[in-house]
């Protein structure tokens, strides 16, 4: 079983439908064709494999607006990174959810605060 | 100098709180040791041979006196009274205790400093020419761009778990003092048709597979620079090898795919990424530039300097080696050597840090720099103040007149501290410096850069030393390989290996033979070691290093 983490905390899986599953070694050149999908899960085989963050970013840049889930070994300390990269939510194992309970994830639910990236990407003020 | 705004300040405080939480969560088991490791590394905390080591960033090497005083305080309160300045413009504390680390980070935040991304598979502390804003040959001050890159790279959500570390260096002068061609990305500021921008160099690096960086783009205008760098790191994050950490750096990716292939991928990614930058970054850059306006230079006579130079040979020897040309001719750039013969290269005591901070206040327009050559720089000193400054340096064991000379050695911490090392570096550096001090030959020899690494990872930059020394382990015995002709400047060259290595007790005599061979072979005192090597090639040096057996017997 797995636990879904969103900004509000742990929720039971409420998705009904087909996931498109992508592995972390997916060739970025192939991503464009998935832009119209309803829901995509990107696998995190290990928390130290940071490819999923860039894949998420490119999917969003390719026009994908569906539900995007980071699936696998993502730790609470990476929640803000996942959200900032374009994921809507994270799916973790029961074991990880027990070891890193809800409050440790909620501590990173303020992912929009203290974000250098959002800061350097704001629109120009001068015309 | 850049000072933190409210956002920077709140960010580093939040980060200290997060790290304190991570330490607690490691202790209560929420984080496994494996999970905790990259988190502590991205906050600058290593586990070394004997203890933890905390590496503190000195972004682009620029630091003010209050910050230097704080580094001294930390050295005294939480360490053994000293710190070690590194080749990447950081300072390392070798003996902090884990429970003290949050308090150290808090003390750093108090003066606008941090240890973020000084380690781990992240974009590391951005380095720059240590003479920035002062050098006579500078066209553009690299610090504002370096600060912008610091902000962009800090906590970048995609780039905290890269295939490997990623290092960026920036220069804006004709003479490259930032070793930009030995970095993952080197940024060389330039102008084209009235537009400011930069040449972007990629895939340089030392380590076990040394490579000279290649030009990825001849000219990227400032407005495109962050998205262009982001596109480069983005391409590498997906393409870089994760199966073998020794092949993970971008230099290998560039080598395996070819620069043209990488360029095409970067260009394509750039067109995707560019629209996500709204343009405020150029306004931020303009604001950052306001922090780096030159000080108001004094206009007064330099007689005191001229008198001291003519009458005091000790001052003159120091002035001849440790001063560099400033863009204002009444000023000098002062290199304070942390390479006293017999001392550990790059180490400074808390008292020395405080005295350098005070000198910056009294004579240096409140600025200090840390050089990748592990010395401290006072970038703006009026010449009339140099004699008084020199007197203070003498009183604090900081007046060694050896900048750029044979005893101004870069050495990694080696087996005295480092868990990766296969041989000692520091005692070799000490031995060479002490030996040539005894011989009183140093000034006769002139410009000569010796760089020593205690393992193949090449933290001591041995590949780009005029003489490089690499300490290895051969069946449990230290063995030192020599390379010659390396160069870390705008004409970067990886040095050539001479042949079999030398034992620990043979390496200093071997260096001595090399130097005598140079002195015998050079055209005149003007021809440096590197120039002589380029003219003569390896042969005369190899002959000196490996004399025929019977000669050796006769000599003995």
């Amino acid at each position: 079983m797995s636990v879904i983490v969103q900004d509000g905390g742990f929720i039971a899986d409420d998705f009904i439908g087909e996931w498109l599953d992508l592995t972390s070694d997916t060739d970025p050149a192939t991503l464009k064709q998935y832009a119209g999908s309803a829901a995509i899960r990107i696998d995190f085989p290990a928390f130290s494999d940071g490819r999923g963050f860039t894949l998420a970013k490119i999917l969003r840049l390719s026009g994908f607006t569906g539900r995007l889930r980071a699936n696998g070994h993502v730790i609470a300390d990476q929640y803000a990174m996942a959200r900032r990269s374009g994921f809507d939510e994270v799916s973790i194992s029961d074991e990880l959810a027990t070891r890193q309970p809800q409050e440790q994830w909620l501590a990173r639910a303020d992912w929009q605060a203290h974000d250098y990236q959002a800061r350097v990407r704001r629109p120009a003020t001068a015309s | 100098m850049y000072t933190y705004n409210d956002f920077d300040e709140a960010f580093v405080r939040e980060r200290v709180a997060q790290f304190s939480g991570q330490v607690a969560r490691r202790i209560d088991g929420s984080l496994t040791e494996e999970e905790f490791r990259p988190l502590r590394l991205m906050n600058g905390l290593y586990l070394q041979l004997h203890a933890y080591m905390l590496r503190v960033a000195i972004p682009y090497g620029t630091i003010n006196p209050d910050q230097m005083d704080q580094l001294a305080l930390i050295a005294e309160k939480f360490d053994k009274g000293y710190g070690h300045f590194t080749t990447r413009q950081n300072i390392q504390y070798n003996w902090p205790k884990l429970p003290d680390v949050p308090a150290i980070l808090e003390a750093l935040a108090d003066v606008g400093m941090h240890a973020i991304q000084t380690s781990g598979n992240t974009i590391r502390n951005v380095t720059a020419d240590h003479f920035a804003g002062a050098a006579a040959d500078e066209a553009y001050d690299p610090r504002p761009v370096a600060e912008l890159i610091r902000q962009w790279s800090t906590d970048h959500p995609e780039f905290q778990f890269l295939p490997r570390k990623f290092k960026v260096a920036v220069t804006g002068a004709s003479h490259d003092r930032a070793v930009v061609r030995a970095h993952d990305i080197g940024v060389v500021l330039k102008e084209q048709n009235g537009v400011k921008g930069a040449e972007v160099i990629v895939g340089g690096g030392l380590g076990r597979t040394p490579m000279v960086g290649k030009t990825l783009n001849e000219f990227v205008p400032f407005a495109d620079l962050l998205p262009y760098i982001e596109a480069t790191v983005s391409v590498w994050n997906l393409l870089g090898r994760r199966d073998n950490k020794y092949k993970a750096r971008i230099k290998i990716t560039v080598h395996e795919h070819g620069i043209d292939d990488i360029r095409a991928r970067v260009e394509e990614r750039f067109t995707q990424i560019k629209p996500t930058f709204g343009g405020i970054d150029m306004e931020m850059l303009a604001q950052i530039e306001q922090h780096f306006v030159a000080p108001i230079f004094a206009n007064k006579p330099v007689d005191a300097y001229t008198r001291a130079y003519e009458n005091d040979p000790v001052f003159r020897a120091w002035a001849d080696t440790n001063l560099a040309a400033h863009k204002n001719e009444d000023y000098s750039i002062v290199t304070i050597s942390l390479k006293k013969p017999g001392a550990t290269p790059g180490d400074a005591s808390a008292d020395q840090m405080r005295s350098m901070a005070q000198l910056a206040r009294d004579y240096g327009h409140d600025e200090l720099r840390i050089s990748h050559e592990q010395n401290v720089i006072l970038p703006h000193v009026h010449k009339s103040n140099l004699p008084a400054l020199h007197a203070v340096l003498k009183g604090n064991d900081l007046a060694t007149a050896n900048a750029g000379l044979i005893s101004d050695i870069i050495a990694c911490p080696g087996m005295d501290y480092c868990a990766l090392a296969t041989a000692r570096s520091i005692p070799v550096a000490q031995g060479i410096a002490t030996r040539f001090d005894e011989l009183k030959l140093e000034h006769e020899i002139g410009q000569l850069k010796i760089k020593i690494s205690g393992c193949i990872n090449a933290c001591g930059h041995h590949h780009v030393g005029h003489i490089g020394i690499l300490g290895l382990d051969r069946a449990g015995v230290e063995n030192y390989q020599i390379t010659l002709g390396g160069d870390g400047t705008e004409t970067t060259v990886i040095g050539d290996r001479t042949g079999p290595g030398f034992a620990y007790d043979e390496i200093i005599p071997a260096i001595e033979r090399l130097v005598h061979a140079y002195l015998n072979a050079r055209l005149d005192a003007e021809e440096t070691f590197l120039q002589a090597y380029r003219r003569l090639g390896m042969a005369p040096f190899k002959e000196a290093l490996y004399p025929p057996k019977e000669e050796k017997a006769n000599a003995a």
Side-chain angles (χ1 to χ4, degrees):
Chain A
M1 282 299 291
S2 57
V3 172
I4 308 306
V5 192
Q6 294 180 350
D7 291 357
F10 289 177
I11 62 157
D13 201 342
D14 61 351
F15 181 75
I16 313 153
E18 284 289 300
W19 286 106
L20 174 70
D21 282 302
L22 296 178
T23 55
S24 65
D25 61 355
T26 299
D27 180 352
T30 65
L31 291 177
K32 224 181 171 81
Q33 61 184 304
Y34 308 127
S37 308
I40 296 178
R41 266 191 312 213
I42 297 177
D43 182 40
F44 279 75
F47 79 106
S48 55
D49 181 350
R51 288 177 288 190
F53 300 115
T54 287
L55 289 173
K57 175 74 176 290
I58 297 174
L59 270 174
R60 291 303 191 196
L61 291 178
S62 305
F64 173 69
T65 55
R67 193 162 171 170
L68 189 56
R69 178 180 285 183
N71 188 39
H73 191 185
V74 176
I75 59 177
D77 309 83
Q78 294 173 310
Y79 183 75
M81 298 170 203
R83 293 289 281 128
R84 289 169 178 173
S85 299
F87 286 106
D88 296 303
E89 59 195 23
V90 174
S91 166
I92 55 172
S93 69
D94 290 342
E95 179 276 318
L96 187 59
T98 307
R99 192 156 52 78
Q100 298 181 355
Q102 176 169 268
E103 67 268 19
Q104 298 192 6
W105 295 80
L106 287 174
R108 291 302 175 87
D110 66 338
W111 56 275
Q112 281 154 312
H114 309 294
D115 184 5
Y116 270 108
Q117 279 311 304
R119 212 175 133 72
V120 302
R121 298 172 119 93
R122 288 170 297 162
T125 57
S127 53
Chain B
M1 261 195 69
Y2 187 72
T3 46
Y4 277 10
N5 54 37
D6 292 347
F7 180 90
D8 297 312
E9 164 77 18
F11 177 88
V12 293
R13 297 287 177 193
E14 174 67 16
R15 184 70 175 234
V16 174
Q18 285 172 4
F19 186 64
S20 305
Q22 285 161 343
V23 172
R25 287 166 55 233
R26 171 66 200 115
I27 292 165
D28 75 16
S30 299
L31 288 164
T32 65
E33 184 56 35
E34 188 201 359
E35 289 166 346
F36 178 63
R37 186 172 172 274
L39 301 176
R40 70 167 161 76
L41 289 176
M42 67 176 72
N43 286 289
L45 191 63
Y46 275 78
L47 191 56
Q48 289 282 56
L49 204 53
H50 309 293
Y52 280 104
M53 177 271 276
L54 183 69
R55 183 183 289 159
V56 176
I58 299 168
Y60 35 91
T62 299
I63 184 172
N64 69 35
D66 294 345
Q67 292 172 325
M68 187 64 114
D69 277 345
Q70 193 78 338
L71 296 179
L73 178 91
I74 291 168
E76 268 174 356
K77 198 168 164 187
F78 300 108
D79 207 291
K80 295 187 177 179
Y82 67 95
H84 177 74
F85 292 103
T86 78
T87 57
R88 291 211 75 260
Q89 300 180 317
N90 300 299
I91 180 171
Q92 295 184 175
Y93 293 106
N94 284 309
W95 310 97
K97 293 181 190 70
L98 183 59
D100 287 339
V101 171
I104 299 174
L105 296 178
E106 203 66 63
L108 290 169
D110 288 344
V111 293
M113 295 184 77
H114 61 73
I116 297 166
Q117 288 170 222
T118 55
S119 180
N121 296 335
T122 60
I123 300 175
R124 301 289 188 89
N125 182 34
V126 180
T127 56
D129 184 349
H130 44 265
F131 289 172
D137 71 340
E138 178 177 274
Y140 310 98
D141 187 338
R143 293 170 299 166
V145 168
E147 171 60 25
L148 188 67
I149 295 172
R150 181 192 76 83
Q151 295 189 21
W152 161 81
S153 65
T154 297
D155 203 25
H156 194 299
E158 289 177 61
F159 303 149
Q160 299 302 307
F161 292 87
L162 291 166
R164 196 79 173 83
K165 59 189 167 187
F166 197 88
K167 300 175 179 175
V168 181
V170 189
T171 184
S174 54
H175 185 63
D176 177 13
R177 286 171 286 263
V179 211
V180 297
R181 282 161 191 82
H183 279 76
D184 296 285
I185 281 187
V187 176
V188 182
L189 304 183
K190 62 201 283 201
E191 207 168 308
Q192 198 167 288
N193 304 325
V195 178
K196 280 190 190 171
E199 177 184 355
V200 175
I201 296 162
V202 73
L206 301 174
R208 62 187 64 205
T209 320
M211 302 247 188
V212 178
K214 300 171 181 71
T215 299
L216 185 61
N217 194 321
E218 283 286 353
F219 185 76
V220 178
F222 276 169
D224 291 342
L225 191 60
L226 291 185
Y228 196 85
I229 295 175
E230 182 165 303
T232 309
V233 183
S234 168
V235 164
W236 170 65
N237 189 28
L238 295 182
L239 198 61
R241 287 179 59 173
R242 288 174 183 262
D243 61 325
N244 180 343
K245 76 172 187 170
Y246 301 117
K247 296 187 186 297
R249 295 284 290 271
I250 196 170
K251 62 187 174 188
I252 306 289
T253 317
V254 171
H255 181 71
E256 289 182 349
H257 291 262
I259 185 75
D260 294 331
D261 176 85
I262 298 296
R263 186 180 298 114
R265 290 171 194 262
V266 169
E267 297 287 341
E268 194 192 340
R269 192 69 47 84
F270 171 79
T271 58
Q272 279 186 299
I273 287 173
K274 171 66 180 171
T276 67
F277 281 80
I280 195 99
D281 55 332
M282 289 300 93
E283 290 170 43
M284 291 169 74
L285 180 62
Q287 279 170 10
I288 293 167
E289 280 169 353
Q290 297 308 309
H291 289 277
F292 292 102
V293 292
I296 297 159
F297 293 121
N299 188 0
K300 55 182 181 180
V302 298
D303 306 5
Y305 166 77
T306 317
R307 264 197 314 277
Y309 190 85
E310 283 167 2
N311 299 315
D312 177 354
V314 176
F315 175 78
R316 182 161 63 239
W318 174 81
D320 283 344
T321 51
N322 290 40
L323 301 182
H326 194 281
K327 50 176 76 170
N328 180 322
E329 62 178 28
D330 292 344
Y331 274 72
S332 284
I333 302 170
V334 173
T335 296
I336 301 174
S337 170
L338 299 182
K339 312 289 180 65
K340 187 189 174 193
T344 301
D347 274 11
S349 70
D351 287 340
Q352 287 177 323
M353 291 182 214
R354 285 201 188 92
S355 77
M356 292 187 282
Q358 193 55 41
L359 284 171
R361 284 188 193 97
D362 292 343
Y363 306 119
H365 293 275
D366 292 325
E367 266 200 56
L368 303 115
R369 305 284 172 73
I370 308 306
S371 77
H372 84 268
E373 286 169 326
Q374 302 179 282
N375 292 314
V376 175
I377 312 293
L378 296 175
H380 310 294
V381 181
H382 192 270
K383 285 181 177 169
S384 66
N385 293 323
L386 288 169
L389 180 139
H390 182 248
V392 175
L393 291 178
K394 275 199 291 194
N396 289 282
D397 234 359
L398 289 167
T400 310
N402 66 348
L405 302 182
I406 193 169
S407 62
D408 185 7
I409 297 170
I410 291 184
C412 73
M415 221 149 58
D416 292 281
Y417 294 98
C418 182
L420 302 173
T422 44
R424 288 168 291 176
S425 310
I426 292 168
V428 175
Q430 290 167 329
I432 293 170
T434 305
R435 179 61 184 148
F436 283 91
D437 191 45
E438 286 163 7
L439 293 171
K440 297 293 165 220
L441 269 178
E442 178 157 61
H443 291 264
E444 172 71 19
I445 298 161
Q447 294 291 312
L448 175 50
K449 291 185 192 295
I450 295 187
K451 301 181 199 275
I452 308 173
S453 304
C455 84
I456 200 162
N457 293 307
C459 294
H461 295 185
H462 66 275
H463 298 295
V464 292
H466 303 165
I467 298 176
I469 301 174
L470 166 60
L472 297 169
D473 176 296
R474 287 277 178 266
V477 180
E478 287 161 303
N479 186 275
Y480 294 86
Q481 284 179 0
I482 294 176
T483 48
L484 297 177
D487 172 10
T489 69
E490 62 281 5
T491 47
T492 297
V493 173
I494 305 297
D496 308 310
R497 231 184 95 187
T498 57
F502 296 86
Y504 181 76
D505 58 356
E506 294 171 350
I507 183 67
I508 291 160
I511 298 300
E512 201 177 320
R513 291 200 298 282
L514 264 181
V515 170
H516 280 292
Y518 153 67
L519 289 174
N520 290 334
R522 71 182 179 185
L523 294 173
D524 55 38
E526 295 298 302
E527 191 181 44
T528 64
F529 180 92
L530 185 61
Q531 288 164 343
Y533 178 78
R534 284 176 175 169
R535 177 173 59 85
L536 295 163
M538 179 74 85
F541 299 100
K542 209 166 170 169
E543 208 170 296
L545 275 180
Y546 308 101
K549 285 252 159 44
E550 59 274 17
E551 248 178 68
K552 229 183 196 171
N554 291 340

